[in-house]
Amino acid sequence: MRVLVVYDVSDDSRRLRLSRELERMGLSRVQRSAFVGPGGLAVAKEAARAAAQLVDDSTDVVHVVLLSEVEWANALVVGRPLAAPRVAEVTLLG
Amino acid sequence: MRVLVVYDVSDDSRRLRLSRELERMGLSRVQRSAFVGPGGLAVAKEAARAAAQLVDDSTDVVHVVLLSEVEWANALVVGRPLAAPRVAEVTLLG
């Protein structure tokens, strides 16, 4: 399974602490505000719990999605992901 | 199925045009840079094609992920999603 974490966190220090926590959990940054990595429900809950302790509920939002290896491998990617592309980088013909 | 689109687009007007295109396709904004909505591979490819025509490959990145209804319904959400919560809003006990 893969855990995908996507977030809108306005405060710089909260955002930095969340990204560090996600890295500590073994997730890789694929966009400025998106991390993905191996894991099941336990990792997803751990990520959500970390987010709940770090972000401001009134302004911020974090989505933690559990998806299969195949679904992440089949993701269509346009442009340049930050982490080494774990997915087949799709070059879309015009 | 659900199509989840997550993007880092630095230029304001490109970002606005991409978000309008995703809305036109029936996707809803759940975070500043994340849209989700009903659709299968055709909608996913349409979103990726629109992104490929709008974004700057050298600076921007867009991920288009196809996932099941259940996977999106089971997403853990912390904070306040922009669109009406299509998922059961999870209040994580401390």
Side-chain angles (χ1 to χ4, degrees), chain A residues 6 8 31-32 64 71 76, chain B residues 6 8 31-32 63 71:
Chain A
V6 182
D8 266 352
Q31 293 189 17
R32 271 195 299 267
V64 181
E71 282 164 334
L76 301 175
Chain B
V6 184
D8 275 351
Q31 292 188 19
R32 268 193 300 258
H63 285 83
E71 283 163 332

Side-chain angles (χ1 to χ4, degrees), chain B residues 6 8 14 20 23 35 53 68 75 88:
Chain B
V6 184
D8 275 351
R14 289 176 191 265
R20 285 206 177 127
E23 276 162 355
F35 279 71
Q53 282 160 2
S68 70

Side-chain angles (χ1 to χ4, degrees), chain B residues 37-94:
Chain B
L41 187 55
V43 172
K45 283 186 171 175
E46 188 185 350
R49 201 177 302 278
Q53 282 160 2
L54 287 169
V55 308
D56 177 343
D57 267 2
S58 62
T59 57
D60 303 336
V61 57
V62 181
H63 285 83
V64 181
V65 184
L66 203 52
L67 59 160
S68 70
E69 303 270 350
V70 171
E71 283 163 332
W72 179 249
N74 289 340
L76 301 176
V77 183
V78 177
R80 200 167 304 282
L82 295 182
R86 298 284 177 79
V87 302
E89 193 150 42
V90 174
T91 311
L92 290 162
L93 304 180

Side-chain angles (χ1 to χ4, degrees), chain B residues 4-49:
Chain B
L4 171 65
V5 181
V6 184
Y7 54 84
D8 275 351
V9 176
S10 28
D11 178 79
D12 290 345
S13 79
R14 289 176 191 265
R15 194 170 53 243
L16 180 61
R17 282 161 59 202
L18 178 58
S19 61
R20 285 206 177 127
E21 186 59 21
L22 297 176
E23 276 162 355
R24 188 195 61 74
M25 294 170 54
L27 306 186
S28 303
R29 187 193 296 267
V30 287
Q31 292 188 19
R32 268 193 300 258
S33 300
F35 279 71
V36 71
L41 187 55
V43 172
K45 283 186 171 175
E46 188 185 350
R49 201 177 302 278

Side-chain angles (χ1 to χ4, degrees), chain A residues 62-77:
Chain A
V62 180
H63 285 83
V64 181
V65 184
L66 204 51
L67 59 158
S68 70
E69 300 273 347
V70 170
E71 282 164 334
W72 178 250
N74 289 338
L76 301 175
V77 183

